Amino acid sequence: MTPSASAAVVPGHAPASAGSRARVVVLGAGAWGTAMACALAARHDVVLWARDAAQVAGMAATRANARYLPEVTLPVSIRVEANLREALGPALAASEGGLIVVATPTAGLRETLHAVMAQGQGLPTPLVWLCKGLERSSHLLAHQIVADELGEHALANAGPLSGPSFAEEVAKGLPTALTVAGGAALCERVTAIVHGGALRVYSTDDLIGVEVGGAVKNVLAIATGIAESLGLGLNARAALITRGLAEITRLGVALGARPETFMGLTGVGDLILTCTGDLSRNRKVGLLLGRGVALRDALVQLGHVAEGVWSAPAVLARAQALGVDMPLTHAVCAVLDGRSSPQDALRTLLARDPKREGIDVDRA
């Protein structure tokens, strides 16, 4: 199908003035990367990069991402590219008006950073990442991976862009609020580029809080999916979300985050969306597990990456190293690795001793 020129303007995203156009490269053509490219293409010059040349050729020919976002037409203004050097060129050249958006899963972040730096041009352009998880092997948050690969100094020009957002809705131009985390200069530049139309951007310097909220909510969405399949009801879902928020806050504070961050978009906002929305991949995994589907088969049926599956063991390991009790996360891990059935995990949780509730005294 060949779109008309009008397809370049995504509904809900009004074009900005010509003087404010930026050069944006989105690295990763999964659902989220494709959605972000669509959302920005009406206002900026956007290149969407994928390592799979066949996928790129297909997207260029059909103006659709048949595998990850088939229902959305790619604006004609998006240039799809398989050559990383060619993709990065415009954004790296526009030091004052460029942005690199890494839209790979957390498992692909390190490799993508390697590939970017291999171009030998340094990183003069602001960089944000969209992934929400911990690296399974190292248990590191995304910003720690960036510091590992690029050096601590790189975080002055890089940070996460996160918040309650389903790719399909972003691609269709539906209203979405996101948070960018980092230094004031980075937040100002990213906001100037991303904020507009149906995208609203807030900012914070609590990088750890934003990343912990984004990572752990995926694990808890698996728990709420399991609970729904078991027919536990809406009361149980509300309890899981609320106690899940307590787990997120405990871990985040132990890692150096501020408690109030978890009452914002990247905390309770993203948690509610992922635990209740029908478009949530992690919730879908939980629904399948609760019906007795094996994890491997559930992931095949899903057909997409569910970050919570790979992050859960890393979240639990990080919590245990810090002495932070996370019973819901522990239960999810037990189901994922086959040590417990969903029903047995539920019985274990219900058998726990009663606790007082409150941030200052909450330990379980």
Side-chain angles (χ1 to χ4, degrees), residues 269-339:
D270 211 356
L271 178 64
I272 291 172
L273 180 70
T274 311
C275 289
T276 63
D278 290 338
L279 296 176
S280 169
R281 301 174 190 174
N282 293 282
R283 177 175 167 271
K284 288 178 182 177
V285 170
L287 287 168
L288 291 169
L289 293 174
R291 295 169 189 156
V293 178
L295 177 60
R296 179 179 300 179
D297 295 333
L299 295 178
V300 169
Q301 288 188 41
L302 185 67
H304 292 259
V305 172
E307 288 268 34
V309 173
W310 310 117
S311 292
V315 169
L316 184 60
R318 200 77 186 262
Q320 290 175 334
L322 292 166
V324 176
D325 192 20
M326 300 184 72
L328 293 175
T329 300
H330 189 278
V332 169
C333 287
V335 173
L336 290 175
D337 64 21
R339 288 182 289 114

Side-chain angles (χ1 to χ4, degrees), residues 131-178:
C131 52
K132 300 175 181 179
L134 274 69
E135 190 173 45
R136 190 164 193 175
S137 58
S138 67
H139 308 158
L140 295 179
L141 290 161
H143 79 276
Q144 295 172 313
I145 299 171
V146 173
D148 246 11
E149 295 299 324
L150 309 184
E152 289 283 346
H153 66 279
L155 294 177
N157 207 29
L161 181 62
S162 189
S165 48
F166 287 140
E168 182 178 333
E169 293 191 358
V170 170
K172 291 179 177 179
L174 297 178
T176 301
L178 302 171

Side-chain angles (χ1 to χ4, degrees), residues 41-354:
R43 296 179 286 121
H44 302 297
D45 300 321
V46 177
V47 179
L48 177 60
W49 173 83
R51 66 176 65 255
D52 185 341
Q55 181 190 9
V56 168
M59 287 191 294
T62 66
R63 304 310 300 176
N65 189 334
R67 179 175 180 184
Y68 294 108
L69 211 61
E71 64 281 358
V72 174
T73 298
L74 294 181
V76 294
S77 57
I78 293 177
R79 177 164 68 90
V80 289
E81 180 63 67
N83 183 300
L84 183 58
R85 182 176 292 274
E86 292 293 325
L88 286 169
L92 290 176
S95 59
E96 292 301 317
L99 179 65
I100 299 172
V101 179
V102 180
T104 66
T106 304
L109 177 59
R110 191 180 294 274
E111 182 181 358
T112 301
L113 294 172
H114 269 302
V116 170
M117 299 309 292
Q119 304 307 310
Q121 301 182 57
L123 192 63
T125 303
L127 180 147
V128 295
W129 50 89
L130 308 180
C131 52
K132 300 175 181 179
L134 274 69
E135 190 173 45
R136 190 164 193 175
S137 58
S138 67
H139 308 158
L140 295 179
L141 290 161
H143 79 276
Q144 295 172 313
I145 299 171
V146 173
D148 246 11
E149 295 299 324
L150 309 184
E152 289 283 346
H153 66 279
L155 294 177
N157 207 29
L161 181 62
S162 189
S165 48
F166 287 140
E168 182 178 333
E169 293 191 358
V170 170
K172 291 179 177 179
L174 297 178
T176 301
L178 302 171
T179 297
V180 60
L186 171 74
C187 290
E188 182 178 349
R189 293 180 67 181
V190 172
T191 300
I193 293 172
V194 179
H195 184 95
L199 288 180
R200 183 168 182 83
V201 178
Y202 293 80
S203 61
T204 178
D205 62 356
D206 189 1
L207 194 151
I208 295 173
V210 166
E211 290 197 325
V212 170
V216 184
K217 60 91 183 181
N218 285 326
V219 180
L220 299 168
I222 297 174
T224 55
I226 292 173
E228 185 171 339
S229 276
L230 294 179
L232 302 186
L234 299 179
N235 294 347
R237 184 170 70 179
L240 282 171
I241 291 173
T242 307
R243 298 310 304 158
L245 182 61
E247 289 197 12
I248 292 174
T249 304
R250 282 200 299 273
L251 178 61
V253 170
L255 288 169
R258 296 194 296 270
E260 60 267 26
T261 299
F262 302 109
M263 296 308 297
L265 289 169
T266 59
V268 67
D270 211 356
L271 178 64
I272 291 172
L273 180 70
T274 311
C275 289
T276 63
D278 290 338
L279 296 176
S280 169
R281 301 174 190 174
N282 293 282
R283 177 175 167 271
K284 288 178 182 177
V285 170
L287 287 168
L288 291 169
L289 293 174
R291 295 169 189 156
V293 178
L295 177 60
R296 179 179 300 179
D297 295 333
L299 295 178
V300 169
Q301 288 188 41
L302 185 67
H304 292 259
V305 172
E307 288 268 34
V309 173
W310 310 117
S311 292
V315 169
L316 184 60
R318 200 77 186 262
Q320 290 175 334
L322 292 166
V324 176
D325 192 20
M326 300 184 72
L328 293 175
T329 300
H330 189 278
V332 169
C333 287
V335 173
L336 290 175
D337 64 21
R339 288 182 289 114
S340 176
S341 69
Q343 293 81 0
D344 286 343
L346 169 64
R347 281 190 283 269
T348 299
L349 288 171
L350 291 176
R352 289 174 56 81
D353 292 337

